[in-house]
């Protein structure tokens, strides 16, 4: 199906720039608050991911948009229209679940056509729309097979076709790749983002996989304990996390907890609980307040840390330690160094093919002050 055909047949848009909005949304189950005052504005045509650990409220948030749950407080809007009194089957959204939820006794064609039959579509319209949906996901030749005869990736495509056949304004994806093996998962990440770009449709995906969210999304909302900790582009979330939780959850990082002892235009000086003195050259004004004495967490990404057998000629952030672990990862080598202070530092270095140091030898780790990020604890 051509992109022109898709765009002209999608639901009419309102004047709002947002396809989905959540305004101060709460959800309480038996006295336990699963979603705490969530505010989200998801732009038309973007790939938006809700990321967080198990139990953080991300799936509940998606179910509130889908209509499978009702907010205890707050408002949910799709294309500017309140959804509070709209049942799930009347909302301009469709959901793709991790389990795919295909009907095993039906052919692929009948699975995709099922919802259109319930809506009483004519035979001609039903055939056209099912054919178009299967063409989009490259499954036309499998139309007369059954789900059990398909691979996991093929079943995932059928689940997508079944959702797209209804021409929703927003496609909701609940851990859509979670049931796939690693290689197929990577392939489907590319296919899913390509499909989203081709359709120009708003995708909202829930995932606990940081790499998946970073590689696929236009923007990401990181949730923790029912709250949104930060919303931003993948680079903003990774390079400029606003809280220690986001810094620790997104990728790997080294976190040092300590006290701010100096703050001037040249940067910050932080003394950790173990006695390390860290120099931080912040590219943004320090928002923690005060010239000293505040609790601070310093984040340093492993790829910013260097390991050396000899003491380098650097003035700051250079510490001696013992090499405790080496993991060969092909393109990279992962080191764990235990400092004299007792802190453990993770190092990720590009594999250049040279000789690697041996375990339990004295080494030095060092990093630049500009590669540190100071966060208010």
């Amino acid at each position: 199906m051509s992109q022109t055909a898709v765009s002209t047949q999608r639901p009419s848009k309102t004047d709002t720039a947002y396809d989905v909005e959540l305004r101060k949304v709460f959800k309480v189950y038996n006295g336990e608050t699963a979603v705490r005052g969530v505010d989200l504005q998801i732009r038309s045509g973007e790939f938006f991911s809700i990321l967080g650990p198990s139990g953080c409220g991300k799936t509940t948030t998606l179910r509130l948009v889908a209509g499978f749950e009702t907010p205890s407080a707050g408002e949910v809007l799709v294309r500017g229209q309140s959804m509070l009194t709209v049942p799930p089957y009347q909302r301009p959204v469709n959901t793709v679940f991790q389990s795919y939820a295909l009907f095993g006794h039906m052919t692929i064609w009948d699975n995709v056509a099922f919802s259109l039959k319930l809506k009483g579509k004519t035979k001609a319209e039903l055939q056209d729309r099912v054919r178009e949906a299967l063409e989009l996901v490259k499954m036309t030749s499998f139309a007369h097979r059954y789900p059990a005869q398909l691979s996991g990736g093929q079943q995932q495509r059928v689940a997508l076709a079944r959702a797209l056949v209804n021409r929703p304004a927003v496609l909701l994806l609940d851990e859509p790749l979670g049931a796939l093996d690693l290689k197929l998962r990577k392939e489907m990440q590319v296919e899913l983002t390509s499909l989203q770009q081709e359709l120009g449709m708003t995708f909202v995906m829930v995932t606990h996989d940081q790499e998946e969210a970073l590689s696929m999304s236009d923007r990401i909302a990181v949730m923790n304990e029912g709250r949104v900790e930060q919303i931003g582009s993948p680079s903003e979330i990774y390079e400029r996390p606003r809280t220690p939780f986001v810094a620790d959850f997104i990728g790997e990082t080294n976190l040092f907890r300590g006290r701010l002892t100096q703050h001037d235009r040249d940067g910050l000086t932080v003394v950790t609980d173990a006695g390390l003195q860290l120099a931080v050259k912040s590219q943004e004004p320090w928002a923690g307040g005060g010239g000293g004495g505040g609790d601070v967490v310093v984040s340093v990404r492993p790829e910013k840390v260097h390991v050396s057998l000899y003491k380098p000629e650097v003035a700051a952030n250079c510490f001696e330690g013992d090499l405790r672990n080496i993991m060969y990862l092909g393109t990279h080598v992962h080191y764990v160094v235990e400092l004299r202070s007792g802190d453990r530092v993770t190092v990720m270095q590009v594999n250049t093919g040279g000789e690697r140091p041996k375990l339990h030898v004295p080494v030095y780790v060092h990093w630049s002050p500009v590669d540190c990020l100071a966060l208010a604890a």
Side-chain angles (χ1 to χ4, degrees), residues 122-259:
T122 65
K123 184 177 181 180
E125 183 179 5
L126 185 147
Q127 288 181 335
D128 286 344
R129 287 174 62 168
V130 172
R131 188 183 307 111
E132 289 170 350
L134 289 173
E135 285 175 359
L136 269 177
V137 298
K138 302 178 178 62
M139 289 296 292
T140 305
S141 61
F142 298 86
H144 300 295
R145 295 193 187 184
Y146 290 86
Q149 297 174 306
L150 303 182
S151 68
Q154 290 167 337
Q155 290 183 33
Q156 204 256 10
R157 289 193 187 98
V158 175
L160 281 169
R162 191 174 59 179
L164 293 170
V165 78
N166 293 302
R167 295 168 181 161
V170 179
L171 188 65
L172 307 176
L173 303 138
D174 187 5
E175 301 275 6
L177 309 180
L180 306 179
D181 62 58
L182 180 61
K183 185 175 185 296
L184 183 56
R185 187 175 185 135
K186 297 290 186 185
E187 293 174 1
M188 292 305 299
Q189 286 174 7
V190 175
E191 289 195 22
L192 198 56
T193 51
S194 297
L195 179 63
Q196 189 269 338
Q197 291 165 6
E198 178 185 348
L199 294 174
M201 185 183 292
T202 303
F203 280 24
V204 182
M205 180 177 72
V206 157
T207 181
H208 67 276
D209 188 312
Q210 303 97 318
E211 183 180 336
E212 187 167 276
L214 289 170
S215 64
M216 298 176 69
S217 311
D218 296 313
R219 287 193 303 147
I220 301 169
V222 182
M223 290 191 68
N224 180 34
E225 297 183 348
R227 297 183 176 88
V228 174
E229 294 246 343
Q230 185 173 347
I231 300 174
S233 68
S235 61
E236 289 170 343
I237 294 290
Y238 186 82
E239 300 288 350
R240 297 189 297 280
R242 294 178 187 165
T243 68
F245 173 82
V246 175
D248 191 36
F249 186 75
I250 304 297
E252 283 192 87
T253 195
N254 297 290
L255 294 179
F256 301 93
R257 298 183 180 274
R259 305 280 290 176

Side-chain angles (χ1 to χ4, degrees), residues 221-343:
V222 182
M223 290 191 68
N224 180 34
E225 297 183 348
R227 297 183 176 88
V228 174
E229 294 246 343
Q230 185 173 347
I231 300 174
S233 68
S235 61
E236 289 170 343
I237 294 290
Y238 186 82
E239 300 288 350
R240 297 189 297 280
R242 294 178 187 165
T243 68
F245 173 82
V246 175
D248 191 36
F249 186 75
I250 304 297
E252 283 192 87
T253 195
N254 297 290
L255 294 179
F256 301 93
R257 298 183 180 274
R259 305 280 290 176
L260 180 63
T261 60
Q262 184 178 347
H263 171 211
D264 54 37
R265 63 184 181 182
D266 293 327
L268 314 175
T269 301
V270 176
V271 176
T272 72
D273 298 338
L276 299 179
Q277 182 171 299
L278 305 179
V280 181
K281 180 65 174 178
S282 179
Q283 296 181 358
E284 298 178 2
W286 168 244
D295 291 328
V296 177
V297 175
V298 176
S299 169
V300 187
R301 295 290 185 187
E303 67 270 19
K304 305 295 187 182
V305 183
H306 305 278
V307 62
S308 172
L309 289 171
Y310 307 101
K311 187 173 183 178
E313 295 181 1
V314 295
N317 302 335
C318 180
F319 307 101
E320 189 178 0
D322 184 69
L323 186 56
R324 290 302 180 95
N325 187 270
I326 303 174
M327 285 190 290
Y328 177 77
L329 303 176
T331 58
H332 290 75
V333 182
H334 180 282
Y335 301 99
V336 177
V337 178
E338 184 172 294
L339 306 185
R340 297 288 180 254
S341 63
D343 294 291

Side-chain angles (χ1 to χ4, degrees), residues 27-41:
K27 181 61 182 178
V28 180
Y29 297 100
N30 301 319
E32 296 291 329
T33 305
V35 175
R36 302 172 181 269
V38 166
D39 283 300
L40 286 178
Q41 293 179 322

Side-chain angles (χ1 to χ4, degrees), residues 335-356:
Y335 301 99
V336 177
V337 178
E338 184 172 294
L339 306 185
R340 297 288 180 254
S341 63
D343 294 291
R344 288 204 166 195
V345 175
T346 299
V347 185
M348 187 73 75
Q349 291 195 336
V350 174
N351 179 19
T352 58
E355 185 178 355
R356 291 185 292 275

